[in-house]
Amino acid sequence: MSQAARTLNYDRAYLSRVLNGKQRPSSQLAHALDELLGAEGALVELADALTPDDRARIARTLAAPSRLDRGTVDALAGALAAQRRLDDVFPAVAMLPATTAQWDSIDKLARDARGPHAEDFHKVAAEWAQFIGWLHAEARNDADAVRWLTAAEERADDVGSGELAAQAANFKGYLARQQQRPRAVVRWFLAAYHTPGATPLQRVGDAVQAAHGYAWLGQRDDARRLLDEAADLADASADQAPPDTAYWLSPTFSRMGIGLALLALGDHADAAENLRVGLDGLPDDQRGAEWAREYRDALDEAHADA
């Protein structure tokens, strides 16, 4: 903190108050910290996500949850979206303390919210729990990740959101892959793939990652079958936009999952090509993401074995 204060020419006490949540950062400080930390604009986006009016509205709603209004729901959804994008440039361990601390207010509001906008807010709360679970999965806090993602699945079911339920199962599949548990990889990605209400783009990603699990187990026919199903789905959903809750999905994103599956099948040249296309298709602010390292390492392995 002292080094940052010197580098940015800010008073250390002021910087300490900001970083400990006791004072709002100025726009100038948000820009300076974003540049210092290489956040690609994501930190500025987060700092600007809530206006003073938004903050006052949220405070009033927390004091009287029965008065939950549309503006509060939209403001909190926007703040969560900005934090999710910040996760693409910051490590999960840096994101967890603030995101988890915010949950106390989100959960309280979810318990007590009333009125016509309560259901939409419960969707925001389900996504918030899912995001915390994802951060724990990235940080390899495995037990906490499972606990939060299970809670997120239940909340998604309560509000009838197949998109959110499928995404929580998908994140459990990601965690199983980090744990080197191929059967659990197949189980969770197939659960996401078959979740009613999952979008076609989500199902493409789920299918190719389940195929990777099958290939890992040596069940080549099952892996190839799912890759074929994913290709058909991808063609059918080529013009569809990703859901807001899975903004990172794109026509080329699933190529990285295909690359993992082909690598496990021993098709090293095709694996390298798919991994390269998928990684090259990532937006600039996602290329250095913590979760992208897995695919970069796989590309190196595919090149080495080709």
Side-chain angles (χ1 to χ4, degrees):
M1 191 181 297
S2 296
Q3 183 179 351
R6 288 194 300 271
T7 301
L8 299 175
N9 196 28
Y10 273 89
D11 177 67
R12 185 189 185 284
Y14 167 59
L15 191 59
S16 176
R17 290 194 299 273
V18 169
L19 297 182
N20 285 296
K22 297 178 179 178
Q23 186 168 341
R24 291 286 304 150
S26 66
S27 177
Q28 293 85 351
L29 177 59
H31 280 81
L33 284 171
D34 190 281
E35 183 175 351
L36 177 69
L37 299 173
E40 303 285 348
L43 197 57
V44 173
E45 181 183 348
L46 179 59
D48 294 340
L50 295 177
T51 67
D53 285 345
D54 289 332
R55 294 179 182 281
R57 180 182 290 109
I58 291 169
R60 289 194 300 270
T61 303
L62 285 170
S66 62
R67 298 179 182 177
L68 175 71
D69 61 8
R70 181 77 250 172
T72 299
V73 176
D74 290 343
L76 290 170
L80 176 58
Q83 289 183 91
R84 299 201 78 154
R85 292 188 180 278
L86 189 61
D87 173 54
D88 290 329
V89 291
F90 279 0
V93 292
M95 298 290 301
L96 268 167
T99 308
T100 305
Q102 293 159 355
W103 175 253
D104 289 341
S105 295
I106 297 298
D107 190 36
K108 178 182 183 299
L109 188 52
R111 289 195 306 269
D112 300 335
R114 300 291 184 273
H117 305 292
E119 182 174 348
D120 285 341
F121 177 74
H122 280 291
K123 292 179 181 178
V124 175
E127 186 181 356
W128 212 295
Q130 179 198 105
F131 180 47
I132 295 175
W134 164 251
L135 291 175
H136 279 298
E138 275 194 297
R140 293 303 310 275
N141 304 325
D142 295 1
D144 286 332
V146 171
R147 177 169 60 85
W148 278 98
L149 291 172
T150 299
E153 286 177 306
E154 293 171 356
R155 286 175 179 266
D157 286 341
D158 287 343
V159 296
S161 174
E163 294 176 7
L164 287 172
Q167 198 59 57
N170 175 287
F171 288 161
K172 285 185 176 180
Y174 165 86
L175 180 60
R177 193 165 67 234
Q178 309 316 304
Q179 295 170 327
Q180 304 283 299
R181 297 166 55 216
R183 286 180 177 79
V185 168
V186 172
R187 181 168 66 252
W188 286 115
F189 283 118
L190 281 183
Y193 181 55
H194 291 295
T195 296
T199 68
L201 279 176
Q202 285 180 295
R203 297 188 71 223
V204 170
D206 296 330
V208 300
Q209 292 178 95
H212 173 225
Y214 274 129
W216 200 348
L217 290 167
Q219 297 178 218
R220 301 175 65 86
D221 290 344
D222 289 320
R224 293 288 185 187
R225 172 181 54 79
L226 272 175
L227 288 175
D228 289 342
E229 289 181 21
D232 292 341
L233 267 174
D235 290 341
S237 60
D239 297 329
Q240 295 187 6
D244 291 339
T245 54
Y247 64 88
W248 55 89
L249 295 177
S250 70
T252 58
F253 186 88
S254 63
R255 297 287 292 273
M256 294 182 293
I258 294 171
L260 291 182
L262 292 174
L263 185 60
L265 288 168
D267 296 346
H268 300 118
D270 286 344
E273 174 64 10
N274 277 279
L275 287 160
R276 182 191 62 76
V277 170
L279 286 165
D280 287 349
L282 291 177
D284 290 342
D285 61 350
Q286 293 180 23
R287 292 188 179 185
E290 200 168 26
W291 51 260
R293 184 183 308 121
E294 175 184 21
Y295 301 110
R296 295 194 297 270
D297 290 346
L299 179 59
D300 291 341
E301 181 182 345
H303 281 313
D305 293 338

Coordinates of all heavy atoms in Angstrom, one line a residue, residues 11-81:
D11 N -2.0 10.2 -0.8 CA -1.7 10.1 0.6 C -2.0 8.6 1.0 O -3.1 8.1 0.7 CB -2.6 11.0 1.4 CG -2.5 10.9 2.9 OD1 -1.4 11.2 3.4 OD2 -3.5 10.4 3.5
R12 N -1.1 8.0 1.8 CA -1.3 6.6 2.2 C -2.5 6.4 3.0 O -3.3 5.4 2.9 CB -0.1 6.1 2.9 CG -0.1 4.6 3.2 CD 1.0 4.1 4.2 NE 1.0 2.7 4.4 CZ 0.1 2.0 5.1 NH1 -0.9 2.7 5.8 NH2 0.2 0.7 5.2
A13 N -2.8 7.4 3.9 CA -4.0 7.2 4.8 C -5.3 7.2 4.0 O -6.2 6.4 4.2 CB -4.0 8.3 5.8
Y14 N -5.3 8.1 2.9 CA -6.5 8.1 2.1 C -6.7 6.8 1.3 O -7.7 6.2 1.3 CB -6.4 9.3 1.1 CG -7.4 9.2 -0.1 CD1 -8.7 9.2 0.1 CD2 -6.9 9.2 -1.4 CE1 -9.6 9.2 -0.9 CE2 -7.8 9.2 -2.4 CZ -9.1 9.2 -2.2 OH -10.0 9.1 -3.3
L15 N -5.5 6.3 0.8 CA -5.6 5.0 0.0 C -6.0 3.9 1.0 O -6.8 3.0 0.6 CB -4.2 4.8 -0.5 CG -4.1 3.6 -1.6 CD1 -5.0 3.9 -2.8 CD2 -2.7 3.4 -2.0
S16 N -5.6 3.9 2.2 CA -5.9 2.9 3.2 C -7.4 2.9 3.4 O -8.1 1.9 3.5 CB -5.2 3.1 4.5 OG -5.6 2.2 5.4
R17 N -8.0 4.1 3.6 CA -9.4 4.2 3.9 C -10.2 3.7 2.7 O -11.2 3.0 2.9 CB -9.8 5.7 4.1 CG -9.3 6.2 5.5 CD -10.0 7.5 5.8 NE -9.8 8.6 4.9 CZ -8.7 9.4 4.9 NH1 -7.8 9.3 5.8 NH2 -8.6 10.3 3.9
V18 N -9.8 4.0 1.5 CA -10.5 3.5 0.3 C -10.4 2.0 0.2 O -11.4 1.3 0.0 CB -9.9 4.2 -1.0 CG1 -10.4 3.4 -2.3 CG2 -10.2 5.6 -1.1
L19 N -9.2 1.4 0.4 CA -9.0 0.0 0.2 C -9.7 -0.8 1.3 O -10.0 -2.0 1.2 CB -7.6 -0.3 0.1 CG -6.9 0.3 -1.2 CD1 -5.4 -0.2 -1.2 CD2 -7.6 -0.1 -2.4
N20 N -10.0 -0.1 2.4 CA -10.6 -0.8 3.5 C -12.1 -0.5 3.6 O -12.8 -0.9 4.5 CB -10.0 -0.4 4.9 CG -8.7 -1.1 5.1 OD1 -8.6 -2.3 5.2 ND2 -7.6 -0.3 5.2
G21 N -12.6 0.1 2.5 CA -14.1 0.3 2.3 C -14.6 1.4 3.2 O -15.8 1.5 3.4
K22 N -13.8 2.3 3.7 CA -14.3 3.4 4.6 C -14.5 4.7 3.8 O -15.1 5.6 4.4 CB -13.3 3.6 5.7 CG -13.1 2.4 6.6 CD -12.1 2.6 7.7 CE -12.0 1.4 8.6 NZ -11.0 1.6 9.7
Q23 N -14.0 4.7 2.6 CA -14.2 6.0 1.8 C -14.3 5.6 0.3 O -13.6 4.7 -0.1 CB -13.0 6.9 2.0 CG -13.2 8.3 1.3 CD -12.2 9.3 1.8 OE1 -11.5 9.1 2.9 NE2 -12.0 10.4 1.1
R24 N -15.2 6.3 -0.4 CA -15.3 6.0 -1.8 C -14.1 6.6 -2.6 O -13.6 7.7 -2.3 CB -16.6 6.7 -2.4 CG -17.9 6.1 -1.9 CD -18.1 4.8 -2.6 NE -18.1 5.0 -4.0 CZ -17.8 4.0 -4.9 NH1 -17.4 2.8 -4.4 NH2 -17.8 4.2 -6.2
P25 N -13.6 5.8 -3.6 CA -12.5 6.4 -4.4 C -13.0 7.4 -5.3 O -14.1 7.4 -5.8 CB -12.0 5.1 -5.2 CG -13.2 4.3 -5.3 CD -14.0 4.5 -4.0
S26 N -12.1 8.4 -5.6 CA -12.4 9.4 -6.6 C -12.3 8.7 -8.0 O -11.7 7.7 -8.1 CB -11.5 10.6 -6.5 OG -10.1 10.1 -6.8
S27 N -12.9 9.4 -9.0 CA -12.7 8.8 -10.3 C -11.2 8.8 -10.8 O -10.8 7.9 -11.4 CB -13.5 9.7 -11.3 OG -13.3 9.3 -12.7
Q28 N -10.5 9.8 -10.3 CA -9.1 9.9 -10.7 C -8.3 8.7 -10.1 O -7.4 8.1 -10.7 CB -8.5 11.2 -10.2 CG -9.0 12.4 -11.0 CD -10.3 13.0 -10.4 OE1 -10.9 12.3 -9.5 NE2 -10.7 14.1 -10.8
L29 N -8.6 8.4 -8.8 CA -7.9 7.3 -8.1 C -8.3 6.0 -8.8 O -7.5 5.1 -9.0 CB -8.3 7.2 -6.7 CG -7.7 6.1 -5.9 CD1 -6.1 6.1 -6.0 CD2 -8.1 6.1 -4.4
A30 N -9.6 5.8 -9.2 CA -10.0 4.5 -9.8 C -9.2 4.3 -11.1 O -8.8 3.2 -11.4 CB -11.5 4.6 -10.1
H31 N -9.1 5.4 -11.9 CA -8.3 5.3 -13.2 C -6.8 5.0 -12.9 O -6.2 4.2 -13.6 CB -8.4 6.6 -14.0 CG -9.7 6.7 -14.7 ND1 -10.9 7.1 -14.2 CD2 -10.0 6.5 -16.0 CE1 -11.9 7.1 -15.1 NE2 -11.3 6.7 -16.2
A32 N -6.3 5.7 -11.8 CA -4.9 5.4 -11.5 C -4.6 4.0 -11.1 O -3.6 3.4 -11.5 CB -4.4 6.4 -10.5
L33 N -5.5 3.5 -10.2 CA -5.3 2.1 -9.8 C -5.5 1.1 -10.9 O -4.9 0.1 -11.0 CB -6.3 1.8 -8.6 CG -6.0 2.4 -7.3 CD1 -7.2 2.2 -6.3 CD2 -4.7 1.7 -6.7
D34 N -6.5 1.4 -11.8 CA -6.7 0.5 -12.9 C -5.5 0.4 -13.8 O -5.1 -0.7 -14.2 CB -7.9 1.1 -13.7 CG -8.4 0.1 -14.8 OD1 -7.7 0.0 -15.9 OD2 -9.4 -0.6 -14.6
E35 N -4.8 1.5 -14.0 CA -3.6 1.5 -14.8 C -2.5 0.8 -14.1 O -1.7 0.0 -14.7 CB -3.2 3.0 -15.2 CG -2.0 3.0 -16.1 CD -1.7 4.4 -16.6 OE1 -2.6 5.3 -16.3 OE2 -0.7 4.7 -17.2
L36 N -2.3 1.1 -12.8 CA -1.3 0.5 -12.0 C -1.4 -1.0 -12.0 O -0.4 -1.7 -12.1 CB -1.3 1.1 -10.6 CG -0.3 0.5 -9.6 CD1 1.1 0.9 -10.0 CD2 -0.6 0.9 -8.2
L37 N -2.6 -1.5 -11.9 CA -2.8 -2.9 -11.7 C -3.1 -3.7 -13.0 O -3.3 -4.9 -13.0 CB -4.0 -3.2 -10.8 CG -3.8 -2.6 -9.3 CD1 -5.1 -2.8 -8.5 CD2 -2.7 -3.4 -8.6
G38 N -3.1 -2.9 -14.1 CA -3.3 -3.5 -15.4 C -4.7 -4.2 -15.5 O -4.9 -5.3 -16.1
A39 N -5.7 -3.4 -15.1 CA -7.1 -4.0 -15.0 C -7.9 -3.8 -16.3 O -9.1 -4.2 -16.4 CB -7.9 -3.4 -13.8
E40 N -7.3 -3.2 -17.3 CA -7.9 -3.1 -18.6 C -9.3 -2.4 -18.6 O -10.2 -2.7 -19.4 CB -8.1 -4.5 -19.3 CG -6.8 -5.3 -19.4 CD -6.0 -4.9 -20.5 OE1 -6.4 -4.0 -21.3 OE2 -4.8 -5.3 -20.6
G41 N -9.4 -1.4 -17.6 CA -10.6 -0.7 -17.6 C -11.7 -1.3 -16.7 O -12.7 -0.7 -16.4
A42 N -11.5 -2.6 -16.2 CA -12.5 -3.2 -15.4 C -12.7 -2.6 -14.1 O -13.8 -2.6 -13.5 CB -12.2 -4.7 -15.3
L43 N -11.6 -2.1 -13.5 CA -11.7 -1.5 -12.2 C -12.4 -0.1 -12.2 O -13.2 0.2 -11.4 CB -10.3 -1.3 -11.6 CG -10.2 -1.0 -10.1 CD1 -10.8 -2.1 -9.3 CD2 -8.7 -0.9 -9.7
V44 N -12.2 0.6 -13.3 CA -12.9 1.8 -13.5 C -14.4 1.5 -13.7 O -15.3 2.2 -13.2 CB -12.4 2.6 -14.8 CG1 -13.3 3.8 -15.1 CG2 -11.0 3.0 -14.5
E45 N -14.7 0.5 -14.5 CA -16.1 0.1 -14.7 C -16.8 -0.2 -13.4 O -18.0 0.1 -13.1 CB -16.2 -1.1 -15.6 CG -17.6 -1.6 -15.9 CD -17.7 -2.8 -16.8 OE1 -16.6 -3.2 -17.4 OE2 -18.8 -3.4 -16.9
L46 N -16.1 -0.9 -12.5 CA -16.7 -1.3 -11.2 C -16.9 0.0 -10.4 O -17.9 0.1 -9.7 CB -15.8 -2.3 -10.5 CG -16.2 -2.7 -9.1 CD1 -17.6 -3.4 -9.2 CD2 -15.2 -3.7 -8.5
A47 N -15.9 0.9 -10.4 CA -16.0 2.1 -9.6 C -17.2 2.9 -10.0 O -17.8 3.6 -9.2 CB -14.7 2.9 -9.7
D48 N -17.5 2.9 -11.3 CA -18.6 3.7 -11.8 C -19.9 2.9 -11.9 O -20.9 3.5 -12.4 CB -18.3 4.1 -13.3 CG -17.1 5.1 -13.3 OD1 -16.8 5.7 -12.2 OD2 -16.5 5.3 -14.4
A49 N -19.9 1.7 -11.4 CA -21.1 0.8 -11.6 C -22.3 1.4 -10.8 O -23.5 1.2 -11.2 CB -20.9 -0.6 -11.2
L50 N -22.0 2.0 -9.7 CA -23.1 2.5 -8.8 C -22.9 4.1 -8.7 O -21.9 4.5 -8.3 CB -23.1 1.9 -7.4 CG -23.4 0.4 -7.3 CD1 -23.2 -0.1 -5.9 CD2 -24.8 0.1 -7.9
T51 N -24.0 4.8 -9.0 CA -24.0 6.2 -8.9 C -24.4 6.6 -7.4 O -24.8 5.7 -6.7 CB -25.0 6.9 -9.8 OG1 -26.4 6.5 -9.4 CG2 -24.8 6.4 -11.2
P52 N -24.1 7.8 -7.0 CA -24.6 8.2 -5.6 C -26.1 7.9 -5.4 O -26.5 7.5 -4.3 CB -24.2 9.7 -5.6 CG -23.1 9.8 -6.5 CD -23.3 8.9 -7.6
D53 N -26.9 8.2 -6.4 CA -28.3 7.9 -6.3 C -28.6 6.4 -6.1 O -29.4 6.0 -5.4 CB -29.1 8.4 -7.6 CG -29.2 9.9 -7.6 OD1 -29.0 10.5 -6.5 OD2 -29.5 10.4 -8.7
D54 N -27.8 5.5 -6.9 CA -27.9 4.1 -6.7 C -27.6 3.7 -5.3 O -28.3 2.9 -4.7 CB -27.0 3.4 -7.6 CG -27.4 3.4 -9.1 OD1 -28.6 3.6 -9.4 OD2 -26.4 3.4 -10.0
R55 N -26.5 4.2 -4.7 CA -26.1 3.9 -3.3 C -27.2 4.3 -2.3 O -27.5 3.6 -1.4 CB -24.8 4.5 -3.0 CG -23.7 3.9 -3.9 CD -22.3 4.6 -3.6 NE -21.3 4.0 -4.5 CZ -20.7 2.8 -4.3 NH1 -21.0 2.1 -3.3 NH2 -19.9 2.4 -5.2
A56 N -27.7 5.5 -2.5 CA -28.8 5.9 -1.6 C -30.0 5.1 -1.7 O -30.7 4.7 -0.7 CB -29.1 7.4 -1.9
R57 N -30.4 4.7 -3.0 CA -31.5 3.8 -3.2 C -31.3 2.5 -2.5 O -32.2 1.9 -1.9 CB -31.8 3.6 -4.7 CG -33.0 2.7 -5.0 CD -33.1 2.6 -6.5 NE -33.6 3.8 -7.1 CZ -32.9 4.6 -7.9 NH1 -31.6 4.2 -8.2 NH2 -33.4 5.6 -8.5
I58 N -30.1 1.9 -2.7 CA -29.8 0.6 -2.0 C -29.9 0.7 -0.5 O -30.4 -0.2 0.1 CB -28.4 0.1 -2.5 CG1 -28.5 -0.3 -4.0 CG2 -28.0 -1.1 -1.7 CD1 -27.1 -0.5 -4.6
A59 N -29.4 1.8 0.0 CA -29.4 1.9 1.5 C -30.8 2.0 2.0 O -31.2 1.4 3.0 CB -28.6 3.2 1.9
R60 N -31.7 2.7 1.2 CA -33.1 2.8 1.7 C -33.8 1.5 1.6 O -34.6 1.1 2.4 CB -33.8 3.8 0.8 CG -33.4 5.3 1.0 CD -34.5 6.2 0.3 NE -34.6 6.0 -1.1 CZ -33.8 6.6 -2.0 NH1 -32.9 7.5 -1.6 NH2 -34.0 6.4 -3.3
T61 N -33.4 0.7 0.5 CA -34.1 -0.6 0.4 C -33.6 -1.6 1.5 O -34.4 -2.3 2.0 CB -33.8 -1.2 -1.0 OG1 -34.2 -0.2 -2.0 CG2 -34.5 -2.5 -1.2
L62 N -32.4 -1.5 1.8 CA -31.9 -2.4 2.9 C -32.6 -2.1 4.2 O -32.8 -2.9 5.0 CB -30.4 -2.3 3.1 CG -29.5 -2.9 2.0 CD1 -28.1 -2.5 2.1 CD2 -29.7 -4.5 2.1
A63 N -32.9 -0.8 4.4 CA -33.6 -0.4 5.6 C -35.1 -0.8 5.6 O -35.7 -1.0 6.6 CB -33.5 1.1 5.8
A64 N -35.6 -0.9 4.4 CA -37.1 -1.2 4.2 C -37.2 -2.1 3.0 O -37.6 -1.7 1.9 CB -37.9 0.1 4.0
P65 N -36.9 -3.4 3.2 CA -36.9 -4.4 2.0 C -38.2 -4.5 1.3 O -38.3 -4.8 0.1 CB -36.5 -5.7 2.7 CG -35.8 -5.3 3.9 CD -36.4 -4.1 4.4
S66 N -39.3 -4.2 2.0 CA -40.6 -4.3 1.4 C -40.8 -3.2 0.3 O -41.7 -3.3 -0.5 CB -41.7 -4.2 2.4 OG -41.7 -2.9 3.0
R67 N -39.9 -2.2 0.3 CA -40.0 -1.2 -0.7 C -39.0 -1.4 -1.9 O -38.6 -0.5 -2.6 CB -39.7 0.2 -0.1 CG -40.7 0.5 1.0 CD -40.4 1.9 1.6 NE -41.4 2.2 2.7 CZ -41.3 3.3 3.5 NH1 -40.3 4.1 3.3 NH2 -42.2 3.5 4.4
L68 N -38.5 -2.6 -2.1 CA -37.6 -2.9 -3.2 C -38.2 -2.4 -4.5 O -39.3 -2.7 -4.8 CB -37.4 -4.5 -3.3 CG -36.6 -5.0 -4.4 CD1 -35.1 -4.6 -4.2 CD2 -36.8 -6.5 -4.5
D69 N -37.4 -1.7 -5.2 CA -37.8 -1.1 -6.5 C -37.0 -1.6 -7.7 O -35.9 -2.3 -7.4 CB -37.9 0.4 -6.5 CG -36.5 1.0 -6.2 OD1 -35.5 0.3 -6.2 OD2 -36.5 2.3 -6.0
R70 N -37.4 -1.3 -8.9 CA -36.7 -1.8 -10.1 C -35.3 -1.2 -10.1 O -34.3 -1.9 -10.5 CB -37.5 -1.3 -11.3 CG -36.9 -1.7 -12.6 CD -37.2 -3.2 -12.9 NE -36.0 -4.0 -12.9 CZ -36.0 -5.3 -12.9 NH1 -37.1 -6.0 -13.0 NH2 -34.9 -6.0 -12.9
G71 N -35.1 0.1 -9.7 CA -33.8 0.7 -9.7 C -32.8 0.0 -8.9 O -31.6 -0.1 -9.3
T72 N -33.2 -0.5 -7.7 CA -32.3 -1.2 -6.8 C -31.9 -2.5 -7.4 O -30.7 -2.9 -7.4 CB -33.0 -1.5 -5.5 OG1 -33.3 -0.2 -4.8 CG2 -32.0 -2.2 -4.5
V73 N -32.8 -3.2 -8.0 CA -32.5 -4.5 -8.7 C -31.5 -4.3 -9.8 O -30.5 -5.0 -9.9 CB -33.8 -5.2 -9.2 CG1 -33.4 -6.5 -10.0 CG2 -34.7 -5.5 -8.1
D74 N -31.7 -3.3 -10.6 CA -30.8 -3.0 -11.8 C -29.5 -2.6 -11.3 O -28.4 -2.9 -11.9 CB -31.5 -1.9 -12.7 CG -32.7 -2.4 -13.4 OD1 -32.9 -3.7 -13.5 OD2 -33.5 -1.6 -13.9
A75 N -29.4 -1.7 -10.2 CA -28.1 -1.2 -9.7 C -27.3 -2.4 -9.2 O -26.1 -2.5 -9.5 CB -28.4 -0.2 -8.6
L76 N -27.9 -3.3 -8.4 CA -27.1 -4.4 -7.9 C -26.7 -5.4 -9.0 O -25.6 -5.9 -9.0 CB -28.0 -5.1 -6.8 CG -28.1 -4.3 -5.5 CD1 -29.2 -4.9 -4.6 CD2 -26.8 -4.1 -4.8
A77 N -27.6 -5.6 -10.0 CA -27.2 -6.5 -11.1 C -26.1 -5.9 -11.9 O -25.1 -6.6 -12.3 CB -28.4 -6.7 -12.0
G78 N -26.1 -4.6 -12.0 CA -24.9 -3.9 -12.7 C -23.6 -4.0 -12.0 O -22.6 -4.2 -12.5
A79 N -23.7 -3.9 -10.6 CA -22.5 -4.0 -9.8 C -22.0 -5.4 -9.9 O -20.7 -5.6 -10.0 CB -22.8 -3.6 -8.4
L80 N -22.8 -6.4 -9.9 CA -22.4 -7.8 -10.0 C -21.7 -8.0 -11.3 O -20.7 -8.7 -11.4 CB -23.5 -8.7 -9.8 CG -23.2 -10.2 -9.9 CD1 -22.1 -10.7 -9.0 CD2 -24.5 -11.1 -9.7
A81 N -22.3 -7.5 -12.4 CA -21.8 -7.7 -13.7 C -20.4 -7.1 -13.8 O -19.5 -7.7 -14.4 CB -22.7 -7.1 -14.8

